[in-house]
Short mmCIF file of all heavy atoms in Angstrom, two decimals:
data_model
loop_
_atom_site.label_atom_id
_atom_site.label_comp_id
_atom_site.label_asym_id
_atom_site.label_seq_id
_atom_site.Cartn_x
_atom_site.Cartn_y
_atom_site.Cartn_z
N MET A 1 109.33 86.42 98.84
CA MET A 1 108.89 86.03 100.26
C MET A 1 108.03 84.76 100.24
O MET A 1 107.40 84.59 99.23
CB MET A 1 108.22 87.19 100.98
CG MET A 1 107.97 86.92 102.51
SD MET A 1 107.06 88.32 103.28
CE MET A 1 105.56 88.13 102.69
N GLN A 2 108.33 83.93 101.22
CA GLN A 2 107.66 82.69 101.26
C GLN A 2 106.49 82.81 102.50
O GLN A 2 106.82 83.52 103.37
CB GLN A 2 108.46 81.52 101.64
CG GLN A 2 109.62 81.35 100.71
CD GLN A 2 109.05 80.48 99.62
OE1 GLN A 2 108.25 79.63 99.60
NE2 GLN A 2 109.59 80.99 98.36
N THR A 3 105.43 82.23 102.21
CA THR A 3 104.46 82.10 103.29
C THR A 3 104.00 80.62 103.48
O THR A 3 103.93 79.81 102.59
CB THR A 3 103.20 83.01 102.95
OG1 THR A 3 102.38 82.92 104.09
CG2 THR A 3 102.35 82.43 101.92
N VAL A 4 103.81 80.34 104.72
CA VAL A 4 103.35 78.98 105.07
C VAL A 4 102.17 79.15 106.06
O VAL A 4 102.35 79.94 106.98
CB VAL A 4 104.40 78.10 105.76
CG1 VAL A 4 103.90 76.85 106.29
CG2 VAL A 4 105.72 77.97 104.82
N VAL A 5 101.05 78.39 105.87
CA VAL A 5 100.06 78.51 106.80
C VAL A 5 99.97 77.21 107.68
O VAL A 5 100.02 76.08 107.07
CB VAL A 5 98.67 78.56 106.09
CG1 VAL A 5 97.50 78.66 107.16
CG2 VAL A 5 98.62 80.06 105.30
N ASP A 6 100.12 77.38 108.97
CA ASP A 6 99.90 76.27 109.82
C ASP A 6 98.44 75.67 109.76
O ASP A 6 97.69 76.31 110.43
CB ASP A 6 100.35 76.58 111.27
CG ASP A 6 100.34 75.42 112.19
OD1 ASP A 6 99.69 74.31 111.73
OD2 ASP A 6 100.94 75.44 113.31
N LEU A 7 98.07 74.77 108.98
CA LEU A 7 96.75 74.27 108.79
C LEU A 7 96.10 73.68 109.95
O LEU A 7 94.99 73.41 110.03
CB LEU A 7 96.58 73.40 107.56
CG LEU A 7 96.93 74.18 106.21
CD1 LEU A 7 96.95 73.24 104.99
CD2 LEU A 7 95.95 75.41 105.92
N THR A 8 97.06 73.29 110.95
CA THR A 8 96.52 72.74 112.15
C THR A 8 95.89 73.89 113.15
O THR A 8 95.13 73.50 113.99
CB THR A 8 97.65 71.91 112.92
OG1 THR A 8 98.60 72.69 113.34
CG2 THR A 8 98.00 70.73 111.98
N ARG A 9 96.47 75.09 112.91
CA ARG A 9 95.90 76.23 113.48
C ARG A 9 94.71 76.90 112.96
O ARG A 9 93.92 77.46 113.54
CB ARG A 9 96.96 77.20 113.92
CG ARG A 9 98.15 76.69 114.74
CD ARG A 9 99.17 77.73 114.84
NE ARG A 9 98.72 78.80 115.72
CZ ARG A 9 99.42 79.03 116.98
NH1 ARG A 9 100.61 78.59 117.23
NH2 ARG A 9 98.95 79.98 117.72
N CYS A 10 94.79 76.93 111.55
CA CYS A 10 93.76 77.71 110.85
C CYS A 10 92.33 77.22 111.26
O CYS A 10 92.04 75.96 111.16
CB CYS A 10 94.09 77.45 109.32
SG CYS A 10 92.69 78.14 108.37
N GLN A 11 91.60 78.15 111.50
CA GLN A 11 90.19 77.92 111.86
C GLN A 11 89.19 78.49 110.91
O GLN A 11 87.99 78.49 111.18
CB GLN A 11 89.84 78.52 113.29
CG GLN A 11 90.64 78.13 114.39
CD GLN A 11 90.27 76.48 114.63
OE1 GLN A 11 89.25 76.16 114.77
NE2 GLN A 11 91.47 75.87 114.96
N GLY A 12 89.73 78.87 109.73
CA GLY A 12 88.92 79.41 108.71
C GLY A 12 88.30 80.69 108.90
O GLY A 12 87.05 81.12 108.37
N TYR A 13 88.92 81.55 109.59
CA TYR A 13 88.40 82.98 109.84
C TYR A 13 88.40 83.86 108.53
O TYR A 13 87.70 84.82 108.66
CB TYR A 13 89.24 83.63 110.93
CG TYR A 13 88.97 83.14 112.37
CD1 TYR A 13 89.97 82.33 113.04
CD2 TYR A 13 87.80 83.43 113.11
CE1 TYR A 13 89.68 81.87 114.29
CE2 TYR A 13 87.55 82.94 114.34
CZ TYR A 13 88.48 82.13 114.98
OH TYR A 13 88.27 81.72 116.06
N ALA A 14 89.16 83.54 107.59
CA ALA A 14 89.11 84.16 106.26
C ALA A 14 89.47 85.62 106.36
O ALA A 14 89.31 86.29 105.31
CB ALA A 14 87.69 84.01 105.77
N GLN A 15 90.10 86.06 107.31
CA GLN A 15 90.81 87.42 107.31
C GLN A 15 91.74 87.56 106.14
O GLN A 15 91.92 88.57 105.47
CB GLN A 15 91.47 87.77 108.59
CG GLN A 15 90.45 87.89 109.82
CD GLN A 15 89.38 88.98 109.55
OE1 GLN A 15 89.74 90.06 109.22
NE2 GLN A 15 88.11 88.61 109.76
N CYS A 16 92.53 86.43 106.03
CA CYS A 16 93.50 86.44 105.06
C CYS A 16 93.03 86.43 103.57
O CYS A 16 93.50 87.13 102.68
CB CYS A 16 94.52 85.20 105.05
SG CYS A 16 93.47 83.69 105.15
N VAL A 17 91.77 85.75 103.44
CA VAL A 17 91.18 85.69 102.15
C VAL A 17 90.71 87.16 101.77
O VAL A 17 90.75 87.69 100.70
CB VAL A 17 90.01 84.71 102.24
CG1 VAL A 17 89.29 84.71 100.77
CG2 VAL A 17 90.56 83.35 102.53
N PHE A 18 90.14 87.75 102.94
CA PHE A 18 89.58 89.16 102.68
C PHE A 18 90.71 90.11 102.30
O PHE A 18 90.59 90.98 101.46
CB PHE A 18 88.99 89.62 103.97
CG PHE A 18 88.29 90.93 103.90
CD1 PHE A 18 87.39 91.26 103.12
CD2 PHE A 18 89.04 91.97 104.63
CE1 PHE A 18 86.81 92.67 103.10
CE2 PHE A 18 88.40 93.32 104.69
CZ PHE A 18 87.29 93.58 103.84
N LEU A 19 91.86 89.97 102.96
CA LEU A 19 92.95 91.04 102.85
C LEU A 19 93.96 90.76 101.59
O LEU A 19 94.43 91.68 101.10
CB LEU A 19 93.82 91.15 104.21
CG LEU A 19 93.07 91.68 105.38
CD1 LEU A 19 93.81 91.34 106.56
CD2 LEU A 19 93.09 93.23 105.14
N ALA A 20 94.02 89.39 101.32
CA ALA A 20 94.95 89.18 100.15
C ALA A 20 94.31 88.05 99.31
O ALA A 20 94.85 86.82 99.27
CB ALA A 20 96.37 88.70 100.70
N PRO A 21 93.23 88.28 98.68
CA PRO A 21 92.53 87.22 97.90
C PRO A 21 93.36 86.68 96.87
O PRO A 21 92.89 85.56 96.27
CB PRO A 21 91.30 88.09 97.40
CG PRO A 21 91.58 89.44 97.46
CD PRO A 21 92.57 89.70 98.55
N GLU A 22 94.45 87.27 96.26
CA GLU A 22 95.23 86.70 95.30
C GLU A 22 96.14 85.73 95.66
O GLU A 22 96.79 84.92 95.04
CB GLU A 22 96.05 87.83 94.41
CG GLU A 22 94.97 88.69 93.71
CD GLU A 22 95.62 89.75 92.96
OE1 GLU A 22 96.91 89.54 92.57
OE2 GLU A 22 95.04 90.82 92.55
N VAL A 23 96.30 85.64 97.21
CA VAL A 23 97.25 84.60 97.62
C VAL A 23 96.52 83.61 98.45
O VAL A 23 96.87 82.44 98.43
CB VAL A 23 98.29 85.38 98.62
CG1 VAL A 23 99.26 84.39 99.26
CG2 VAL A 23 99.07 86.45 97.88
N PHE A 24 95.43 83.96 99.02
CA PHE A 24 94.72 83.01 99.91
C PHE A 24 93.35 82.74 99.40
O PHE A 24 92.56 83.70 98.95
CB PHE A 24 94.60 83.53 101.45
CG PHE A 24 95.91 83.79 101.97
CD1 PHE A 24 96.37 85.12 102.11
CD2 PHE A 24 96.55 82.83 102.70
CE1 PHE A 24 97.63 85.34 102.63
CE2 PHE A 24 97.88 83.10 103.28
CZ PHE A 24 98.36 84.38 103.25
N GLU A 25 92.87 81.51 99.53
CA GLU A 25 91.58 81.09 99.00
C GLU A 25 91.01 80.02 99.68
O GLU A 25 91.62 79.09 100.10
CB GLU A 25 91.66 80.77 97.44
CG GLU A 25 90.42 80.46 96.70
CD GLU A 25 90.59 80.03 95.40
OE1 GLU A 25 91.78 80.01 94.87
OE2 GLU A 25 89.61 79.74 94.69
N LEU A 26 89.76 80.28 100.20
CA LEU A 26 89.17 79.11 100.93
C LEU A 26 88.28 78.25 99.96
O LEU A 26 87.59 78.82 99.13
CB LEU A 26 88.11 79.68 101.97
CG LEU A 26 88.75 80.02 103.42
CD1 LEU A 26 87.79 80.72 104.28
CD2 LEU A 26 89.34 78.82 104.11
N HIS A 27 88.51 76.91 100.08
CA HIS A 27 87.95 76.14 99.02
C HIS A 27 87.17 74.93 99.66
O HIS A 27 87.74 73.86 99.73
CB HIS A 27 89.27 75.55 98.24
CG HIS A 27 89.19 75.70 96.82
ND1 HIS A 27 88.60 74.75 95.99
CD2 HIS A 27 89.50 76.82 96.05
CE1 HIS A 27 88.66 75.27 94.76
NE2 HIS A 27 89.13 76.49 94.82
N GLY A 28 86.04 75.23 99.99
CA GLY A 28 85.17 74.03 100.43
C GLY A 28 85.84 73.04 101.45
O GLY A 28 86.45 73.40 102.44
N GLU A 29 85.69 71.84 100.97
CA GLU A 29 86.18 70.81 101.94
C GLU A 29 87.85 70.78 101.98
O GLU A 29 88.36 70.32 102.87
CB GLU A 29 85.86 69.42 101.39
CG GLU A 29 84.35 69.25 101.57
CD GLU A 29 83.84 67.88 101.06
OE1 GLU A 29 84.77 67.00 100.71
OE2 GLU A 29 82.56 67.54 101.15
N GLU A 30 88.43 71.34 100.98
CA GLU A 30 89.96 71.33 101.04
C GLU A 30 90.51 72.35 102.07
O GLU A 30 91.60 72.26 102.43
CB GLU A 30 90.43 71.75 99.65
CG GLU A 30 90.18 70.58 98.53
CD GLU A 30 90.62 71.16 97.25
OE1 GLU A 30 91.86 71.21 96.93
OE2 GLU A 30 89.79 71.31 96.42
N GLY A 31 89.58 73.29 102.51
CA GLY A 31 90.06 74.25 103.36
C GLY A 31 90.82 75.34 102.70
O GLY A 31 90.57 75.72 101.54
N LEU A 32 91.86 75.80 103.42
CA LEU A 32 92.63 76.98 102.82
C LEU A 32 93.67 76.61 101.93
O LEU A 32 94.44 75.86 102.13
CB LEU A 32 93.23 77.84 104.03
CG LEU A 32 93.85 79.14 103.66
CD1 LEU A 32 92.87 80.13 103.20
CD2 LEU A 32 94.69 79.58 104.83
N LEU A 33 93.64 77.29 100.69
CA LEU A 33 94.74 77.07 99.76
C LEU A 33 95.39 78.41 99.65
O LEU A 33 94.91 79.45 99.82
CB LEU A 33 94.06 76.75 98.26
CG LEU A 33 93.25 75.58 98.22
CD1 LEU A 33 92.59 75.41 96.83
CD2 LEU A 33 93.87 74.32 98.67
N TYR A 34 96.80 78.42 99.38
CA TYR A 34 97.57 79.51 99.25
C TYR A 34 98.75 79.43 98.45
O TYR A 34 99.13 78.41 98.24
CB TYR A 34 97.91 80.04 100.75
CG TYR A 34 98.76 79.04 101.48
CD1 TYR A 34 100.19 79.18 101.50
CD2 TYR A 34 98.14 77.97 102.19
CE1 TYR A 34 100.80 78.26 102.21
CE2 TYR A 34 98.89 77.15 102.85
CZ TYR A 34 100.31 77.10 102.85
OH TYR A 34 101.08 76.28 103.52
N ALA A 35 99.23 80.57 98.08
CA ALA A 35 100.54 80.57 97.26
C ALA A 35 101.69 80.69 98.08
O ALA A 35 101.71 81.57 98.95
CB ALA A 35 100.58 81.67 96.15
N THR A 36 102.66 79.69 98.14
CA THR A 36 103.76 79.76 99.08
C THR A 36 104.75 80.88 98.58
O THR A 36 105.37 81.48 99.51
CB THR A 36 104.42 78.30 99.07
OG1 THR A 36 104.68 77.91 97.71
CG2 THR A 36 103.57 77.28 99.82
N ALA A 37 104.79 81.15 97.32
CA ALA A 37 105.87 82.11 96.93
C ALA A 37 105.05 83.32 96.68
O ALA A 37 104.11 83.40 95.83
CB ALA A 37 106.49 81.67 95.60
N VAL A 38 105.28 84.41 97.50
CA VAL A 38 104.37 85.61 97.44
C VAL A 38 104.91 86.57 96.48
O VAL A 38 106.16 87.00 96.62
CB VAL A 38 104.25 86.26 98.82
CG1 VAL A 38 103.43 87.42 98.83
CG2 VAL A 38 103.68 85.34 99.93
N PRO A 39 104.31 87.07 95.40
CA PRO A 39 104.71 88.11 94.48
C PRO A 39 105.02 89.23 95.40
O PRO A 39 104.38 89.63 96.15
CB PRO A 39 103.59 88.25 93.55
CG PRO A 39 102.65 87.11 93.72
CD PRO A 39 102.90 86.60 95.12
N ASP A 40 106.03 90.09 94.82
CA ASP A 40 106.54 91.26 95.43
C ASP A 40 105.28 92.19 95.83
O ASP A 40 105.18 92.78 96.82
CB ASP A 40 107.50 92.01 94.67
CG ASP A 40 108.86 91.28 94.81
OD1 ASP A 40 109.03 90.28 95.64
OD2 ASP A 40 109.71 91.76 94.06
N GLU A 41 104.44 92.39 94.83
CA GLU A 41 103.39 93.40 94.98
C GLU A 41 102.27 92.89 95.93
O GLU A 41 101.34 93.71 96.48
CB GLU A 41 102.58 93.77 93.65
CG GLU A 41 101.96 92.51 93.10
CD GLU A 41 102.85 91.63 92.17
OE1 GLU A 41 104.03 91.68 92.14
OE2 GLU A 41 102.14 90.84 91.47
N GLN A 42 102.42 91.62 96.51
CA GLN A 42 101.41 91.08 97.40
C GLN A 42 101.98 91.07 98.74
O GLN A 42 101.25 90.78 99.76
CB GLN A 42 100.98 89.67 97.09
CG GLN A 42 100.28 89.65 95.61
CD GLN A 42 98.81 90.15 95.91
OE1 GLN A 42 98.17 90.10 96.88
NE2 GLN A 42 98.36 91.06 94.81
N ILE A 43 103.14 91.38 98.86
CA ILE A 43 103.88 91.30 100.26
C ILE A 43 103.16 92.06 101.40
O ILE A 43 103.01 91.41 102.45
CB ILE A 43 105.48 91.60 100.21
CG1 ILE A 43 106.12 90.48 99.34
CG2 ILE A 43 105.98 91.59 101.65
CD1 ILE A 43 107.61 90.72 99.23
N GLU A 44 102.87 93.25 101.14
CA GLU A 44 102.34 94.02 102.27
C GLU A 44 100.87 93.52 102.67
O GLU A 44 100.53 93.52 103.82
CB GLU A 44 102.13 95.58 101.75
CG GLU A 44 101.74 96.53 102.82
CD GLU A 44 102.71 96.33 104.03
OE1 GLU A 44 103.90 96.16 104.03
OE2 GLU A 44 102.10 96.45 105.19
N ARG A 45 100.11 93.09 101.59
CA ARG A 45 98.92 92.34 101.89
C ARG A 45 99.01 91.16 102.71
O ARG A 45 98.14 90.90 103.62
CB ARG A 45 98.12 92.21 100.68
CG ARG A 45 97.57 93.39 99.89
CD ARG A 45 96.96 93.08 98.49
NE ARG A 45 96.20 94.08 98.04
CZ ARG A 45 94.94 94.34 98.18
NH1 ARG A 45 94.26 93.36 98.81
NH2 ARG A 45 94.20 95.25 97.73
N VAL A 46 99.96 90.41 102.39
CA VAL A 46 100.23 89.17 103.15
C VAL A 46 100.64 89.45 104.66
O VAL A 46 100.22 88.83 105.58
CB VAL A 46 101.19 88.26 102.39
CG1 VAL A 46 101.56 86.99 103.31
CG2 VAL A 46 100.64 87.80 101.07
N ARG A 47 101.48 90.51 104.64
CA ARG A 47 101.76 91.03 106.08
C ARG A 47 100.59 91.44 106.87
O ARG A 47 100.50 90.95 108.04
CB ARG A 47 102.81 91.99 106.11
CG ARG A 47 104.23 91.73 105.65
CD ARG A 47 105.12 92.85 106.03
NE ARG A 47 106.28 92.94 105.12
CZ ARG A 47 107.34 92.06 105.25
NH1 ARG A 47 107.37 91.17 106.12
NH2 ARG A 47 108.41 92.23 104.33
N GLN A 48 99.73 92.08 106.30
CA GLN A 48 98.51 92.39 106.98
C GLN A 48 97.65 91.37 107.26
O GLN A 48 97.00 91.21 108.37
CB GLN A 48 97.74 93.46 106.06
CG GLN A 48 98.34 94.76 105.90
CD GLN A 48 97.69 95.69 104.88
OE1 GLN A 48 96.59 95.40 104.43
NE2 GLN A 48 98.21 96.89 104.66
N ALA A 49 97.55 90.29 106.33
CA ALA A 49 96.87 89.08 106.55
C ALA A 49 97.41 88.32 107.76
O ALA A 49 96.69 87.86 108.70
CB ALA A 49 96.81 88.26 105.41
N ALA A 50 98.78 88.30 107.85
CA ALA A 50 99.30 87.51 109.06
C ALA A 50 98.94 88.20 110.40
O ALA A 50 98.81 87.50 111.30
CB ALA A 50 100.94 87.37 108.70
N ALA A 51 99.04 89.51 110.29
CA ALA A 51 98.83 90.21 111.51
C ALA A 51 97.38 90.09 111.90
O ALA A 51 97.01 90.18 113.14
CB ALA A 51 99.15 91.75 111.32
N ALA A 52 96.37 90.05 110.94
CA ALA A 52 94.92 89.87 111.15
C ALA A 52 94.54 88.50 111.61
O ALA A 52 93.40 88.45 112.10
CB ALA A 52 94.19 90.44 109.96
N CYS A 53 95.18 87.58 111.27
CA CYS A 53 94.76 86.15 111.50
C CYS A 53 94.59 86.02 113.07
O CYS A 53 95.58 86.18 113.89
CB CYS A 53 95.80 85.14 111.05
SG CYS A 53 95.24 83.44 111.42
N PRO A 54 93.38 85.72 113.54
CA PRO A 54 93.08 85.69 115.08
C PRO A 54 93.99 84.47 115.71
O PRO A 54 94.13 84.51 116.87
CB PRO A 54 91.60 85.39 115.10
CG PRO A 54 91.14 85.74 113.77
CD PRO A 54 92.18 85.47 112.83
N VAL A 55 94.48 83.53 114.86
CA VAL A 55 95.15 82.36 115.50
C VAL A 55 96.53 82.34 115.09
O VAL A 55 97.33 81.27 115.34
CB VAL A 55 94.41 81.01 115.29
CG1 VAL A 55 93.03 80.99 115.96
CG2 VAL A 55 94.20 80.74 113.83
N GLN A 56 97.03 83.53 114.57
CA GLN A 56 98.50 83.45 114.10
C GLN A 56 98.86 82.21 113.36
O GLN A 56 99.96 81.59 113.69
CB GLN A 56 99.41 83.72 115.37
CG GLN A 56 99.28 85.02 115.99
CD GLN A 56 98.34 85.08 117.06
OE1 GLN A 56 98.24 84.23 117.87
NE2 GLN A 56 97.55 86.18 117.01
N ALA A 57 98.24 81.79 112.41
CA ALA A 57 98.47 80.65 111.56
C ALA A 57 99.37 81.01 110.47
O ALA A 57 99.93 79.99 109.84
CB ALA A 57 97.11 79.98 111.11
N ILE A 58 99.51 82.16 110.12
CA ILE A 58 100.18 82.58 108.88
C ILE A 58 101.59 82.86 109.18
O ILE A 58 101.92 83.90 110.07
CB ILE A 58 99.58 83.67 108.02
CG1 ILE A 58 98.13 83.40 107.69
CG2 ILE A 58 100.38 84.12 106.86
CD1 ILE A 58 97.31 84.48 107.29
N LEU A 59 102.64 82.19 108.63
CA LEU A 59 103.99 82.41 109.07
C LEU A 59 104.64 82.96 107.80
O LEU A 59 104.46 82.51 106.61
CB LEU A 59 104.68 81.00 109.40
CG LEU A 59 104.03 80.25 110.39
CD1 LEU A 59 104.60 78.86 110.74
CD2 LEU A 59 104.05 80.99 111.79
N LEU A 60 105.51 83.88 107.92
CA LEU A 60 106.29 84.56 106.69
C LEU A 60 107.75 84.25 106.88
O LEU A 60 108.25 84.21 108.04
CB LEU A 60 106.07 86.02 106.86
CG LEU A 60 104.55 86.45 106.75
CD1 LEU A 60 104.47 87.95 106.88
CD2 LEU A 60 103.86 85.95 105.56
N GLY A 61 108.35 84.20 105.75
CA GLY A 61 109.83 83.95 105.86
C GLY A 61 110.57 84.49 104.50
O GLY A 61 109.80 84.52 103.46
N GLU A 62 111.58 84.95 104.71
CA GLU A 62 112.44 85.38 103.45
C GLU A 62 112.82 84.18 102.66
O GLU A 62 113.07 83.12 103.25
CB GLU A 62 113.69 86.27 103.86
CG GLU A 62 113.19 87.43 104.69
CD GLU A 62 112.22 88.36 104.08
OE1 GLU A 62 112.17 88.54 102.77
OE2 GLU A 62 111.30 88.91 104.68
N GLU A 63 112.98 84.34 101.35
CA GLU A 63 113.40 83.19 100.49
C GLU A 63 114.83 83.09 100.75
O GLU A 63 115.61 83.89 101.08
CB GLU A 63 113.15 83.60 99.02
CG GLU A 63 111.58 83.54 98.87
CD GLU A 63 111.31 83.87 97.29
OE1 GLU A 63 112.02 83.24 96.46
OE2 GLU A 63 110.60 84.65 97.10
FE1 F3S B 1 92.93 80.52 108.68
FE2 F3S B 1 93.79 82.68 109.72
FE3 F3S B 1 93.16 82.78 107.31
S1 F3S B 1 92.41 81.16 110.63
S2 F3S B 1 91.54 81.31 107.13
S3 F3S B 1 94.77 81.64 108.08
S4 F3S B 1 92.74 84.41 108.76
#
């Protein structure tokens, strides 16, 4: 699965970092960093992160 974060929407709420820290990371001035290719064992966590993001910035897609 692929994930893309719309960084123009992201406000740094960090729900994604809390729910899937192996995929999402907040990095000071660079803002949110993330893995675009989601490992299978992280898919459920990334789905939860997408649902939890208050501004719906996390988009998911099949490869
Ligand atoms: Fe940004 Fe949403 Fe995560 S606002 S830091 S993508 S929870």
Side-chain angles (χ1 to χ4, degrees):
M1 194 176 73
Q2 300 281 319
T3 186
V4 175
V5 179
D6 182 345
L7 295 175
T8 65
R9 295 181 76 123
C10 173
Q11 300 292 318
Y13 285 106
Q15 296 300 312
C16 55
V17 179
F18 178 71
L19 288 164
E22 293 184 26
V23 175
F24 301 97
E25 189 178 356
L26 274 174
H27 234 268
E29 292 185 0
E30 293 173 67
L32 185 67
L33 304 178
Y34 60 98
T36 51
V38 179
D40 286 350
E41 68 274 12
Q42 293 291 319
I43 287 176
E44 190 50 39
R45 286 173 168 266
V46 171
R47 284 194 209 283
Q48 290 174 3
C53 176
V55 293
Q56 287 91 44
I58 301 171
L59 309 173
L60 305 178
E62 302 304 323
E63 288 180 51

